[in-house]
Each structure stands twice: as C-alpha cells, then as structure tokens.
Amino acid sequence: MYRGRNNGQRPRFGSLRGRFKSIDVSRFVNKAVVQTPIQEEPIKHAFADFLISDQLKTNIADKGYLKPTPIQDRIIPLILERRDIVGIANTGTGKTGAFLIPLINKAFFNRSERTLIVTPTRELAVQIEEELREFAKGMAMYCVLCIGGMDTFGQSSRLQKPHNFVVGTPGRIKDLEKQGKLRLHLYNNIVLDEVDRMLDIGFMQDVKFIISRLSENRQSLFFSATIPPQAAEVMKAFLKNPAVVSVKSQETASGIEQEIIKVAGRNKIDILHDLLVKDEFGKVLVFGRTKWGMEKLYKELLRRGFKAAAIHGNKNQNQRLRAIKQFQSNEIQVLLATDIASRGLDIEDVTHVINYDQPASYDDYIHRIGRTGRAGKKGIALTFVD
Ligand code: AMP
C-alpha cells in the first residue's frame, strides 16, 4: 500500500520486535486490539422525544445531528431528571452534546441556573464554548470563557454581566475564584470533563480546590475515558448517588485501522514525506514527543513545500487557535502536535493520525488515535517504530 519515495519498495510493516520497553508494539496494530464486548443497545430516543425546548431541537437539527449517539441517548434523560452522572466516555462519542443539550435546556427554562464546565485544556474549552453557542442559538444564553493565556481583565468583566455558563481550565478558574471574580458557590451545575486528562496534566490540586468551593446544592456531571485511582477519589468527593453510563470501548478502536511502519535505519522525515504526498493523506495529525522535535519537523515540512502548522507548549494561545482553525478549515494538510497540546481536540475528518514518535503510554496512544475515525467515520493510525 505504501511505496518508498525513491525505490518503490514497501516499507516494512508488521514486525513486532521493538526496543521500546514501555509499550509492546503489537498493541499498535489492529489484530492486537482487544475489543471489550459491549452490548449494542439500540438507540431508544429520537431528539424529538426529549423534553427540551423546540428552539433547542431546531438548533440540534441545524447542526446536522439526525439521531442521538448512544451516550446522548442514555445521558440526556438522566440529566433532565437532575441525576448526578459518571460518564465513562472518550472524545468522539458525542459526550459534549450529551451534557450541553440538557444543561442549556435547564437554563432556558430557569434563568437562575448556572453551569460551570471545567476542561483540561484551553482548546477543549474553546471548542465546548463554540458548540454551546451553536446549540443555544437564538436562546439568549451567555457563556464566559475562563482560560489561561488570555487576559484576566476581559474575563473578569464578562463574569460581572449576566451569564448562564462558564467554561474554563482549572488553573484560571482557581485564580479567578481567589481574586473574588468568579464565585464558584453560585454555580449549581458542574461538569468536570476529561477528568483523567486533568489529573495527567497535574491539575489534581486545582480540581480539589474547585470542588471544595462548590455549593452543596448542585447537579454534578463527571466525564472521563478511564477511572484511575485519583479520578475515583475526585468522583467520591464530587458526586452524590450518580448514574454510571459507559460507552467507552465501542469507539476506542473499532473505526480505526491501525498499522506500524518500521523506520529502523531510515530517515523518518523522508518516510513521512512519502506518506504525505499520497492523495489519501488529506488531513493528517502528526504526534511527536517533544516541542523541540515538533518545531524542527514543522520547519522541515514547510521547507519541503507542505502546508503545515504545529501546536505545542512553546506556542501562545493565539498561535495554537489559529493553527487549529487552519486545520479545521483545510487550509493546511498537516498539524503537528505534542500530547498535551492536543488533548481534547475535536477536529472533523482527520484522515490519518501518524505517531512520528511513540506515545509514552498506551493510554496516550488510544487518545492520539481517537482523533481519527470519529463519529462513525473510518480513520487510519500509523505508528513509526524502530
Ligand atoms: P464529542 O465526543 O462531543 O467530542 O463529539 C464528537 C463529534 O461527533 C463532534 O464532531 C460532534 O459534532 C459529533 N456529534 C455529536 N453528536 C452527534 C450526533 N448526534 N450526530 C452526529 N454527530 C454528532
């Protein structure tokens, strides 16, 4: 399938020997994926069945959603019944709509309802805010984005105006609370999204601080792809008698074709180049381990005439958002990213994820490849191994 640049030879796929001790490379190929058997429960509801406002239904239809995803089908009625929730779900399952739809509805019918949504990354916060704006079109619903990398002054003054939603990252939320600009006890609906990622990034203390300041009288929603021990600790402090809904395994790898590419002794940039010139590599997300490595690769790809951008810890917020927008709108073909910079990205139609450097853990691997094959589409994940 993949021809070398000069000699037309096939790169060597499939040998499972590798010198990486952390992850068995056999886990990067399809046959190694263990699919936890899941009960394919039929979708029980149409959007029309939910007890939500007509305007919201129109907005959902305008977004092109024909029927609820499994998590939406199961969670929306529970949130409308005011249950606390544990949603074990990865990105790509439609979890954002699953919590936004009922929470917007709640605020629409009772303007005193306020929701705080906490996410691990700025990019995810921005994406949630954008989705919220689409779902709540014409419903006079205001949302304040509270993320790092942008000035606090604008955020504080927006917090003083009427609003029903705050979406933000833990560090900035904590800072604004400490400055008295964001009064957490006034929010009676709280969403912690991608909790496992928050803990990975080192937000445990900030998350605990935020929980300690919340009102007792609240509805609490907790989303995480996995429940490591620290996340279980957060769950205990945060939730009351939650309904647990898990839709995780079904999307993890089923729509994604996974292969390894042996690179031993060959120039990785040339191999990448050979792949990127192929027609089918339309929208490619490339993951690397370090910001320096990704910056170097980015410059080399530009030199070779590819349309690319990079997101990593050395790029400021505006540069990162611009890169993501360019990728979303197909102005560039290749987006290079480090793991942290890419958390929670929701970009449609990524044709290929390429692990230029191996991920540090299998969990990171699943997160990376989950950027392709989303919403039921096919995707391809390729991992370079020595
Ligand atoms: P999420 O898991 O929330 O990041 O959503 C993954 C992708 O699925 C996003 O591009 C959503 O716009 C899309 N999506 C969410 N719900 C639906 C739905 N009911 N029908 C079609 N696409 C959806």
Side-chain angles (χ1 to χ4, degrees):
M1 183 165 60
Y2 302 109
R3 276 195 306 279
R5 193 156 52 113
N6 303 318
N7 53 14
Q9 280 178 346
R10 293 158 72 93
R12 287 153 293 159
F13 279 131
S15 163
L16 304 180
R17 273 186 306 127
R19 61 186 165 80
F20 288 86
K21 293 195 181 67
S22 54
I23 312 169
D24 174 358
V25 295
S26 66
R27 300 180 85 184
F28 301 142
V29 293
N30 283 345
K31 63 186 172 55
V33 172
V34 181
Q35 289 277 340
T36 331
I38 48 150
Q39 279 143 6
E40 283 278 354
E41 285 184 37
I43 302 284
K44 294 197 183 99
H45 305 93
F47 282 117
D49 300 334
F50 293 133
L51 296 174
I52 55 175
S53 92
D54 288 342
Q55 179 67 52
L56 190 46
K57 285 181 187 167
T58 305
N59 294 346
I60 293 168
D62 285 351
K63 271 175 78 65
Y65 294 3
L66 302 176
K67 60 179 175 38
T69 64
I71 192 165
Q72 291 165 356
D73 185 50
R74 292 164 65 191
I75 278 190
I76 290 174
L78 292 166
I79 300 179
L80 290 171
E81 283 168 24
R82 299 180 176 257
R83 289 289 303 272
D84 279 8
I85 301 285
V86 174
I88 304 173
N90 39 354
T91 45
T93 52
K95 68 183 165 63
T96 315
F99 63 76
L100 285 180
I101 292 168
L103 291 174
I104 290 169
N105 190 68
K106 238 176 140 178
F108 183 65
F109 287 109
N110 179 355
R111 292 287 164 174
S112 68
E113 294 283 348
R114 283 186 163 188
T115 295
L116 172 75
I117 301 169
V118 189
T119 73
T121 63
R122 301 162 184 181
E123 286 79 8
L124 182 58
V126 169
Q127 283 176 7
I128 291 176
E129 195 244 1
E130 281 171 0
E131 281 221 40
L132 194 142
R133 227 178 306 139
E134 290 170 8
F135 279 124
K137 203 173 50 189
M139 299 171 82
M141 201 79 63
Y142 297 98
C143 176
V144 185
L145 197 56
C146 295
I147 56 178
M150 289 183 168
D151 77 302
T152 24
F153 180 75
Q155 294 172 5
S156 319
S157 62
R158 278 189 287 279
L159 284 169
Q160 281 164 12
K161 300 192 181 130
H163 61 271
N164 291 100
F165 286 86
V166 167
V167 185
T169 43
R172 179 56 61 95
I173 289 171
K174 187 181 80 175
D175 291 347
L176 289 165
E177 158 80 20
K178 283 194 159 166
Q179 293 163 18
K181 311 282 194 222
L182 174 62
R183 289 181 296 157
L184 288 174
H185 64 278
L186 297 179
Y187 294 78
N188 56 346
N189 302 282
I190 316 292
V191 182
L192 298 185
D193 195 16
E194 304 211 348
V195 176
D196 49 351
R197 300 286 116 199
M198 281 195 237
L199 303 180
D200 281 353
I201 301 173
F203 279 140
M204 182 73 176
Q205 291 313 322
D206 292 347
V207 170
K208 277 185 172 166
F209 172 87
I210 292 168
I211 294 175
S212 75
R213 295 296 174 104
L214 298 174
S215 152
E216 276 292 302
N217 185 13
R218 63 173 195 256
Q219 185 175 13
S220 309
L221 314 177
F222 175 104
F223 292 89
S224 199
T226 57
I227 311 282
Q230 279 196 321
E233 198 186 315
V234 171
M235 267 168 63
K236 227 169 119 198
F238 181 59
L239 299 159
K240 283 195 193 116
N241 185 28
V244 181
V245 174
S246 171
V247 294
K248 193 184 161 239
S249 49
Q250 123 199 66
E251 293 266 345
T252 315
S254 57
I256 306 169
E257 205 177 292
Q258 300 163 73
E259 279 286 7
I260 57 171
I261 298 184
K262 297 279 286 172
V263 297
R266 302 158 69 214
N267 184 335
K268 288 209 290 188
I269 297 184
D270 287 342
I271 298 174
L272 181 64
H273 182 129
D274 292 344
L275 295 172
L276 293 178
V277 293
K278 291 168 191 291
D279 286 345
E280 64 268 29
F281 282 70
K283 196 164 186 172
V284 184
L285 190 51
V286 177
F287 283 100
R289 227 190 307 257
T290 67
K291 44 195 176 190
W292 312 113
M294 284 295 95
E295 189 62 21
K296 197 169 140 215
L297 181 59
Y298 159 65
K299 292 198 172 129
E300 179 59 23
L301 289 180
L302 287 191
R303 204 185 61 76
R304 293 182 182 213
F306 290 101
K307 289 188 174 156
I311 53 171
H312 53 67
N314 279 6
K315 300 274 182 189
N316 69 29
Q317 181 67 358
N318 285 337
Q319 290 171 316
R320 290 209 255 173
L321 290 177
R322 191 169 58 235
I324 291 165
K325 280 251 152 17
Q326 287 177 321
F327 193 54
Q328 273 167 338
S329 61
N330 295 318
E331 278 171 62
I332 55 170
Q333 177 199 6
V334 191
L335 184 67
L336 302 148
T338 53
D339 288 292
I340 298 227
S342 75
R343 294 273 143 86
L345 282 187
D346 175 17
I347 296 165
E348 285 176 15
D349 305 325
V350 172
T351 57
H352 296 76
V353 167
I354 297 179
N355 294 308
Y356 191 80
D357 298 319
Q358 280 193 39
S361 68
Y362 190 63
D363 197 37
D364 277 344
Y365 174 73
I366 291 294
H367 250 269
R368 286 180 177 190
I369 72 168
R371 310 297 109 187
T372 185
R374 307 194 69 177
K377 297 197 180 104
K378 279 273 165 217
I380 296 176
L382 303 171
T383 302
F384 287 7
V385 299
D386 271 341

